[in-house]
Amino acid sequence: MSKKFSCIVAVCENRGIGINGDLPWKLKQELKYFSRTTKKVEDAGKRNAVIMGRKTYFGVPESKRPLPDRLNIVLTRNAAAYAFPSDVLVCGSLQEALVKLDSTDFGKDIENIWVVGGNSVYKEAMESDRCHRIYLTEIMKQFECDAFFPEMPKTFVMVDNEADVPNDVQEENGIQYVYKIYENKQ
């Protein structure tokens, strides 16, 4: 059976998501939210998969990659040019990654699939009928960025936050942000 997946992203006012392969802001609590959300499972015998582009993967500090307690799937058209740990699944496209999760042992213990960036991966993900939700942290400030979140399709509608997702404005280092969840009503 084809599992649905969700995207998770933090976006500033000018739709920016990154600069020079890094995040343009330092928000520890927001990173903890990302980690908690992408690790959360109902079945303790399972784990989640995180799918990301090569630049996003290498943008994670070396000491923190692969992202722990999740199956890391990296998308690249040129896998031979890079060294990846043996526990990282490397695929040529989002479609290939989803097929492997659907039809091989890679997917047997996966509960949730998360798309975590970057721009082109988000764009392709949001165009898929398998994209169920977008967990969007709206950062209420502009930052200089060179990577941007694509326009969200009109089929995504804001829904109530889950019980463990704060509804009120968060603030860290003088930067305000709010968590929002959008669901594909296609």
Side-chain angles (χ1 to χ4, degrees):
M1 186 181 112
S2 298
K3 269 192 184 103
K4 292 203 175 276
F5 61 83
S6 295
C7 297
I8 186 165
V9 63
V11 181
C12 65
E13 287 179 343
N14 49 325
R15 304 194 63 73
I17 57 174
I19 186 161
N20 300 324
D22 201 358
L23 295 173
W25 46 77
K26 300 288 179 238
L27 301 171
K28 260 192 168 133
Q29 294 308 310
E30 204 284 327
L31 280 175
K32 285 181 181 175
Y33 165 79
F34 168 88
S35 180
R36 185 176 66 247
T37 302
T38 59
K39 287 180 184 176
K40 183 172 53 177
V41 290
E42 290 182 19
D43 179 344
K46 296 196 173 211
R47 64 182 177 154
N48 294 333
V50 287
I51 301 175
M52 67 199 88
R54 174 189 49 80
K55 290 179 189 170
T56 299
Y57 177 80
F58 285 113
V60 174
E62 197 170 346
S63 64
K64 305 245 191 293
R65 68 176 190 248
L67 297 174
D69 307 321
R70 291 153 283 188
L71 171 62
N72 285 233
I73 302 172
V74 178
L75 307 181
T76 179
R77 289 180 212 90
N78 192 7
Y82 302 94
F84 294 98
S86 60
D87 58 345
V88 170
L89 177 59
V90 180
C91 296
S93 68
L94 177 61
Q95 187 57 36
E96 180 188 336
L98 294 171
V99 166
K100 282 191 176 177
L101 289 172
D102 288 344
S103 61
T104 69
D105 283 349
F106 286 110
K108 73 179 184 324
D109 70 338
I110 298 300
E111 185 169 300
N112 300 297
I113 303 168
W114 292 94
V115 170
V116 302
N119 170 287
S120 61
V121 182
Y122 284 133
K123 184 171 181 3
E124 185 179 356
M126 289 188 297
E127 291 169 355
S128 168
D129 57 359
R130 289 177 62 176
C131 187
H132 175 59
R133 285 187 157 183
I134 299 169
Y135 290 70
L136 189 138
T137 302
E138 190 175 282
I139 297 175
M140 302 153 97
K141 185 175 178 177
Q142 285 201 22
F143 286 85
E144 182 183 342
C145 294
D146 59 14
F148 298 89
F149 190 64
E151 283 295 321
M152 199 182 308
K154 303 263 184 272
T155 55
F156 285 90
V157 177
M158 195 161 62
V159 296
D160 291 339
N161 283 355
E162 294 164 358
D164 62 343
V165 178
N167 286 305
D168 51 336
V169 174
Q170 308 293 302
E171 187 166 340
E172 214 178 323
N173 302 330
I175 301 167
Q176 293 187 322
Y177 56 94
V178 64
Y179 300 116
K180 295 182 175 181
I181 300 175
Y182 294 85
E183 198 167 281
N184 194 348
K185 298 296 187 182
Q186 198 170 24

